[in-house]
Amino acid sequence: MEPDTDYTGDPREVHATKEDIEYLLKVANEYFPGAQLKEKDIIASYSGVRPLVNDGAESEGKTSREHTIINHPKNITFVAGGKYTTYRLMAEEAVDSTLTYLSIERQAELGSSQSEKPLNGMIDAHSFRQLIRKSRNGRGLGVDQKHLYISS
């Protein structure tokens, strides 16, 4: 099974399937064998439908996950494709692209993107390290402290 499931139904009805859950638990347990996660450990889930850019690939699984930003002449910015792990970059590029609709004076007033800075000053590499240490040196999270690397 691929990590992406082709979905043709109503996007309001999308949900994590049994197969999706089994796949994700398998992957999580491969990366964090100490966690020994089971379906009963799941307290919530979410699913989404991602629009992929038609790049002519033979299947959805082989379609590029690169994102595309399109500025429509009626001052609409579209974002298609992309991956969850690149959401910050996609958002930053979408905002930068959208700002081009504004006057140069307004762009200068707003300044450059600062999306790499956390909105909550309590969330930084130091506080995350403390959280890991407080959680039985990471064992409670299935993380081995010697394999934990956090850049700052």
Side-chain angles (χ1 to χ4, degrees):
M1 178 177 159
E2 295 181 4
D4 287 322
T5 303
D6 188 23
Y7 187 78
T8 57
D10 186 333
R12 293 174 293 189
E13 302 296 325
V14 70
H15 63 279
T17 66
K18 181 101 173 133
E19 294 80 17
D20 293 331
I21 292 167
E22 289 171 357
Y23 170 81
L24 292 170
L25 286 170
K26 178 181 177 279
V27 171
N29 284 320
E30 285 175 6
Y31 279 93
F32 305 104
Q36 300 178 7
L37 297 170
K38 308 257 187 286
E39 189 171 348
K40 67 179 177 66
D41 298 316
I42 299 171
I43 58 173
S45 70
Y46 73 95
S47 295
V49 177
R50 172 176 50 190
L52 297 176
V53 178
N54 184 353
D55 63 359
E58 60 191 61
S59 72
E60 288 82 7
K62 294 188 177 188
T63 300
S64 171
R65 297 316 192 243
E66 295 297 317
H67 64 277
T68 300
I69 297 175
I70 302 164
N71 286 331
H72 189 274
K74 295 191 183 249
N75 295 343
I76 301 172
T77 300
F78 295 96
V79 180
K83 300 184 290 188
Y84 183 71
T85 55
T86 59
Y87 75 92
R88 189 190 63 77
L89 174 64
M90 290 172 24
E92 184 175 310
E93 290 180 2
V95 168
D96 288 346
S97 182
T98 302
L99 288 175
T100 63
Y101 295 123
L102 304 176
S103 70
I104 194 72
E105 293 82 13
R106 185 70 175 130
Q107 290 179 45
E109 180 184 324
L110 293 171
S112 63
S113 171
Q114 296 182 14
S115 67
E116 72 282 355
K117 295 180 183 176
L119 295 174
N120 181 342
M122 300 290 291
I123 306 300
D124 59 13
H126 176 73
S127 61
F128 184 69
R129 284 187 194 98
Q130 287 182 322
L131 171 68
I132 297 297
R133 286 185 190 104
K134 286 179 182 176
S135 178
R136 299 183 312 232
N137 289 326
R139 285 187 294 278
L141 301 174
V143 178
D144 183 345
Q145 191 73 28
K146 69 181 177 190
H147 294 104
L148 183 63
Y149 173 76
I150 303 166
S151 63
S152 51

